[in-house]
């Protein structure tokens, strides 16, 4: 018996994974929505979810929020931030947002730059909303369908290179997006507008060996000399005593933005403004 293309590439389990919450749903159908959302957004990390989102589940069950809003709640949660935001580079975080929210990989460097600038100017929630409130999300999933890996099939407006790129981000349902290197998987190919090699998740080639091919190597984005001025109110981590917080200003190069964001958040600081020089 010959294997289908999806089976040979190791993606048959996710190519037809569209799950929609229809009117007059049963409880078991609602449970499938919860399971699919946790699996797609958190991957292997879903095993730690139990009970965390019971309030959001109740709101969806009672018709107070849509599936889209349920997904939005997951991605704006501290649980999601701890898994994918605080410990990853900014570009890696953007890769994961495209994967988790739009079911595809970013196509080119302009999509990365857009979200870096949006986060810098408007913050975390606005950046997440830009995916979920986008026309692309609306056309693909609407209000009642859980996001899924649609980038493995031909979709309207999709660039062919996106098919290759998604294989680099998707390593199978058993893989954790929170494991391994925190560096971007696509930065070199995006910056140089190069295609990615297709290495199926089910391949006998170990994930670590892909590094030797050069697929996951990263390098600074060439020619990007942008600088940003970050104004913050310094935090007082580890103390309950009221203290006068000082205002501080930093000039940060583009490739250090992510690291500085994370340092500020971890130290309890508050970003007042980020302005390009």
């Amino acid at each position: 018996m010959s294997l289908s293309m999806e089976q040979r590439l190791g993606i048959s389990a996710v190519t037809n994974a569209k799950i929609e919450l229809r009117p007059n749903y049963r409880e078991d159908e609602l449970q499938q929505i919860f399971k699919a959302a946790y699996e797609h957004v958190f991957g292997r990390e879903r095993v730690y979810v139990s009970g965390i989102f019971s309030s959001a589940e109740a709101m969806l069950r009672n018709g107070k929020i849509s599936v889209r809003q349920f997904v939005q709640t997951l991605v704006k949660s501290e649980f999601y931030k701890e898994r994918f935001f605080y410990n990853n580079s900014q570009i890696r975080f953007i890769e994961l947002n495209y994967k988790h929210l739009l079911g595809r990989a970013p196509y080119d460097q302009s999509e990365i730059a857009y979200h870096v600038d949006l986060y810098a100017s408007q913050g975390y929630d606005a950046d997440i909303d830009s995916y979920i409130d986008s026309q692309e999300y609306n056309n693909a999933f609407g209000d009642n369908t859980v996001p899924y890996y649609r980038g493995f099939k031909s979709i309207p407006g999709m660039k062919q290179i996106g098919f290759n790129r998604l294989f680099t981000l998707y390593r199978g349902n058993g893989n954790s997006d929170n494991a391994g290197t925190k560096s971007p998987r696509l930065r070199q190919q995006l910056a140089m507008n190069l295609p990615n090699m297709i290495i199926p998740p089910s391949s006998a080639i170990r994930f670590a060996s892909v590094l030797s091919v050069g697929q996951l190597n990263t390098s600074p984005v060439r020619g990007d000399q942008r600088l940003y001025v970050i104004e913050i109110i310094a935090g007082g981590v580890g103390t309950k005593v009221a203290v006068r917080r000082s205002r501080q200003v930093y000039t940060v190069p583009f490739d250090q933005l992510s690291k500085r964001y994370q340092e500020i958040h971890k130290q309890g600081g508050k970003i007042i403004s980020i302005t390009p020089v």
Side-chain angles (χ1 to χ4, degrees):
M1 181 177 178
S2 61
L3 298 177
S4 67
M5 179 64 73
E6 287 86 356
Q7 289 172 320
R8 292 200 299 272
L9 292 175
I11 57 174
S12 57
V14 296
T15 52
N16 294 300
K18 182 176 181 179
I19 298 181
E20 180 181 0
L21 188 63
R22 296 185 174 89
N24 303 315
Y25 57 82
R26 302 188 306 271
E27 177 63 23
D28 63 316
E29 293 173 327
L30 184 63
Q31 291 300 322
Q32 288 180 358
I33 292 288
F34 295 150
K35 180 177 182 294
Y38 293 144
E39 183 172 290
H40 185 76
V41 172
F42 296 120
R44 202 171 69 187
E45 298 293 313
R46 67 187 181 279
V47 299
Y48 304 110
V49 164
S50 181
I52 295 177
F53 299 103
S54 56
S55 176
E57 289 183 8
M59 292 180 70
L60 180 57
R61 178 179 287 106
N62 295 330
K64 296 186 179 300
I65 60 174
S66 63
V67 173
R68 187 202 304 245
Q69 291 170 311
F70 180 75
V71 171
Q72 190 174 38
T73 299
L74 302 187
V75 183
K76 287 187 176 182
S77 70
E78 194 65 19
F79 184 86
Y80 188 86
K81 293 178 183 178
E82 288 173 353
R83 264 61 187 177
F84 308 121
F85 177 63
Y86 294 137
N87 297 320
N88 280 310
S89 71
Q90 184 72 8
I91 298 176
R92 174 60 176 157
F93 180 63
I94 293 169
E95 290 177 352
L96 292 175
N97 286 339
Y98 270 100
K99 175 185 177 183
H100 298 158
L101 298 177
L102 295 180
R104 66 171 176 89
Y107 295 142
D108 52 44
Q109 186 62 27
S110 68
E111 292 194 316
I112 298 294
Y114 171 79
H115 287 285
V116 169
D117 289 342
L118 182 59
Y119 176 84
S121 62
Q122 298 184 41
Y124 184 94
D125 284 0
D127 186 37
I128 295 302
D129 289 343
S130 71
Y131 297 95
I132 295 179
D133 295 337
S134 68
Q135 190 62 49
E136 179 179 355
Y137 186 103
N138 190 62
N139 291 342
F141 312 119
D143 284 330
N144 297 310
T145 298
V146 178
Y148 58 93
Y149 294 110
R150 63 198 183 98
F152 286 129
K153 291 191 172 184
S154 178
I155 56 179
M158 176 181 175
K159 297 181 180 180
Q160 182 59 41
I161 201 169
F163 181 79
N164 298 49
R165 298 210 195 289
L166 186 54
F167 275 95
T168 303
L169 299 184
Y170 176 75
R171 304 310 308 160
N173 284 342
N175 179 69
S176 172
D177 285 334
N178 195 36
T181 176
K182 307 301 181 183
S183 299
R185 306 294 198 264
L186 301 173
R187 183 162 67 178
Q188 184 174 2
Q189 285 74 21
L190 289 171
M192 301 179 70
N193 196 29
L194 296 173
N196 294 77
M197 296 177 60
I198 295 179
I199 300 181
S202 58
S203 171
I205 302 175
R206 295 181 62 84
F207 184 70
S209 71
V210 179
L211 291 170
S212 64
V213 180
Q215 183 181 4
L216 303 183
N217 291 345
T218 60
S219 61
V221 177
R222 297 183 179 181
D224 197 331
Q225 302 297 322
R226 285 180 292 173
L227 295 174
Y228 288 84
V229 174
I230 303 180
E231 185 177 3
I232 74 166
I233 296 178
V237 176
T239 176
K240 296 182 179 179
V241 180
V243 295
R244 179 175 295 175
R245 296 186 173 188
S246 63
R247 241 172 233 266
Q248 300 177 8
V249 177
Y250 304 95
T251 300
V252 184
F254 174 81
D255 61 359
Q256 293 296 313
L257 272 176
S258 175
K259 180 179 179 181
R260 185 51 60 95
Y261 294 152
Q262 293 168 10
E263 290 174 351
I264 292 169
H265 284 300
K266 287 180 179 179
Q267 293 168 6
K270 179 180 179 181
I271 296 176
I272 301 174
S273 65
I274 303 177
T275 308
V277 176

